[in-house]
Structures are given as structure tokens and as C-alpha cells.
Amino acid sequence: MDFQTWRHVFKLDPAKEISDGHLERICESGTDAILIGGSDDVTLDNVLELMARVRRYSVPVALEVSTVESVTPGFDYYFIPTVLNSSDPKWIKGLHHEAIREYGEIMDWTEIVPEGYCILNPDCKAAQLTRADASLTEEDVLGYARMAEHFFKLPVFYLEYSGRFGDLELVKKTASVLSETRLFYGGGIDSAERAKEMAALSDTVVVGNIIYEDLNKALATVKAVAETAGQSL
Ligand SMILES: CC(C)=CCC/C(C)=C/CC/C(C)=C/CC/C(C)=C/CC/C(C)=C/CC/C(C)=C/CC/C(C)=C/COP(=O)(O)OP(=O)(O)O
Ligand SMILES: O=P(O)(O)OC[C@@H](O)CO
Ligand SMILES: [Mg+2]
């Protein structure tokens, strides 16, 4: 159940419809975990509804928090993004401070997984929402990765290309500067082949949008990742 062993994760968006049949196939696919999260229209109601539906299965389920209002008990983990390349401190530590002021006393810190996001697709919703500076050089990205591991001691560094397939060479170089911090890769994985390519370079691959576009292609990524050795395993 430990998130440090996860190699493949499906990200389900609470703002999107998914049938019971499709959800069953996703949850029973052999993926290591379900991450519930999205960048807009995430509400307490749609998070609760999706969590209850996913809880019918034994797969671990985590909430990736994007609004304080949608935080609810019942998840195995709470993944908390901090967008390292945001130009607005609200998305780096502002909302986090507000939430911890409010919930700090009752929080079970063993369930909290801070994620250092580096958003590299300037057109994705998360980049626009957080005013991320996505025009980064390789040195910039490696600097954020090292900062995540050695300065902030974050357990996860997340290279986020949401909606677009990323730069393999950059992912490889990023992996090479991380040892304790896990490298999550997400964005544009829409085939077994792409899943294999990124799984070979990162610790954990996150598959999102293709679930809603072509379920069979999404499911094929699970086996592809299971067959691929990771960079640090
Ligand atoms: C009561 C109880 C159970 C308490 C538990 C304690 C707890 C967990 C408290 C919360 C503590 C805390 C520190 C909360 C943080 C609050 C917060 C709102 C932080 C900001 C997070 C953030 C930076 C959000 C920005 C958006 C973002 C990066 C989202 C990540 C997910 C993502 C990129 C999804 C992709 O979105 P999608 O909609 O799919 O986009 P596409 O259209 O591109 O596909
Ligand atoms: O939706 P896709 O492009 O698969 O990206 C997955 C995830 O990184 C989104 O936060
Ligand atoms: Mg999405």
C-alpha cells in the first residue's frame, strides 16, 4: 500500500463522468493506485461520490487536493501539490498555510504526501490556473528537482505535462538527479508504448485523460508499465 512502491497510477477526475462498468475495469486493472483529482470543478460532492464508488474495490485510493473545500476523510493518502514553478505564492504555500492553520491539529501527517510539481505544458489548465512559468530550460528543471529533494525534502517530484507527451531526454536527466525523492511523470500517456517509454525513465507514471477517451488504451498501460523496469528500482 506504500505509495513509494507505486509504478502505475490512474488519475480520475471527479468533474468527469465515468460509468460503473468502466470504473470497475479501471479499479480491477492491476494499477497500483487511484488518484482522485483535477484542476477545475472539483467539489466536495463530486469527490465524495467518486471516492465511495472507488471504495467498492480494494485498490488504494488517494485524493490529490486542489481545493480545501473538497478535502474529506476516507482516503488512504492526501497528495498535496505545491507548484514550484508557479509565479503566485498562493499555489506554492499560500493555500497550504490556510489549510494547515485550519486542519493542522487534526491532521494525520502519515497520510500526507507533499508533491513538488513542475508544470511543463503551458497550455494545460493547471499551468494557467497557477500561473506556472513553463518556459524552463533543462537547468531550470534540474534545479527544481534538486530543490525538491535536497532543500524541501519532498517525497515526490512531479513532472506534469497534463494533456501532452513530455520530453523523454528531460525526464531521463531529471531522474538522474533524484535519489530519495520519487519521480512522478504525467501527461499524454495514451498507449502501451508511451507508458513503457516513461516507465523506463521515471518511478511512477500517471495516466489520466485517456481513461475518458479510449478505455482499452488506458488499460493497456497497466501491463506495459508492469513489464518495464524503472530507472531507480
Ligand atoms: C478533514 C480532513 C480529512 C483533513 C485531512 C487533512 C488534510 C488533507 C488537509 C489539507 C491540507 C493541505 C495542505 C491542503 C492544501 C490546499 C490546497 C488547495 C493546495 C493547493 C494545491 C494546488 C497547487 C492546486 C493547483 C492545481 C493542481 C496543480 C492540481 C493538481 C492536479 C492536476 C494537475 C490535475 C490535472 O487537471 P485536469 O483537470 O485533469 O487538467 P487537464 O484539463 O489538463 O486534463
Ligand atoms: O491526463 P494526462 O495527460 O494523462 O496527464 C495525467 C496527469 O499528469 C494529469 O495531472
Ligand atoms: Mg485531465
Side-chain angles (χ1 to χ4, degrees):
M1 225 273 265
D2 183 358
F3 77 91
Q4 307 260 14
T5 64
W6 295 351
R7 288 278 290 140
H8 181 285
V9 170
F10 277 128
K11 189 180 285 193
L12 290 178
D13 189 334
K16 288 185 182 167
E17 298 283 322
I18 185 165
S19 69
D20 285 342
H22 282 201
L23 188 66
E24 177 173 5
R25 292 182 69 197
I26 288 292
C27 293
E28 303 273 63
S29 63
T31 186
D32 294 308
I34 303 294
L35 194 51
I36 293 186
S39 52
D40 57 7
D41 299 324
V42 176
T43 64
L44 181 58
D45 281 352
N46 59 27
V47 166
L48 274 171
E49 199 217 329
L50 189 54
M51 178 184 73
R53 292 175 69 204
V54 173
R55 276 294 189 212
R56 292 181 199 146
Y57 307 96
S58 58
V59 65
V61 55
L63 177 66
E64 189 170 54
V65 176
S66 57
T67 64
V68 184
E69 302 69 44
S70 60
V71 174
T72 181
F75 287 91
D76 296 312
Y77 288 109
Y78 297 85
F79 279 64
I80 315 283
T82 168
V83 181
L84 300 174
N85 62 325
S86 170
S87 54
D88 183 344
K90 170 179 167 183
W91 303 104
I92 307 169
K93 53 92 185 172
L95 293 170
H96 314 70
H97 182 232
E98 272 178 39
I100 293 166
R101 270 186 59 167
E102 180 154 350
Y103 295 110
E105 228 167 310
I106 59 153
M107 277 167 72
D108 176 352
W109 291 95
T110 63
E111 296 173 345
I112 304 289
V113 183
E115 308 170 280
Y117 259 75
C118 183
I119 305 182
L120 293 172
N121 174 4
D123 302 321
C124 76
K125 276 189 237 156
Q128 284 164 10
L129 174 73
T130 64
R131 295 177 37 221
D133 173 11
S135 57
L136 301 181
T137 63
E138 180 185 305
E139 287 69 31
D140 291 329
V141 174
L142 300 187
Y144 280 126
R146 289 192 167 104
M147 184 189 266
E149 173 157 325
H150 300 288
F151 188 75
F152 288 121
K153 312 265 184 207
L154 294 170
V156 172
F157 183 67
Y158 193 136
L159 278 182
E160 174 64 288
Y161 282 90
S162 187
R164 199 178 90 191
F165 194 60
D167 177 337
L168 289 164
E169 198 50 39
L170 185 56
V171 178
K172 187 176 182 180
K173 289 206 168 122
T174 303
S176 75
V177 304
L178 294 173
S179 49
E180 298 299 316
T181 295
R182 274 186 88 76
L183 178 59
F184 276 42
Y185 170 83
I189 295 184
D190 56 7
S191 65
E193 195 174 73
R194 284 184 160 184
K196 271 183 185 289
E197 283 182 303
M198 284 304 177
L201 304 177
S202 57
D203 295 309
T204 305
V205 300
V206 183
V207 176
N209 291 344
I210 193 68
I211 298 166
Y212 302 94
E213 292 158 11
D214 187 328
L215 183 70
N216 288 325
K217 284 188 179 164
L219 293 169
T221 65
V222 178
K223 185 162 170 272
V225 172
E227 289 170 353
T228 308
Q231 57 86 32
S232 67
L233 299 174

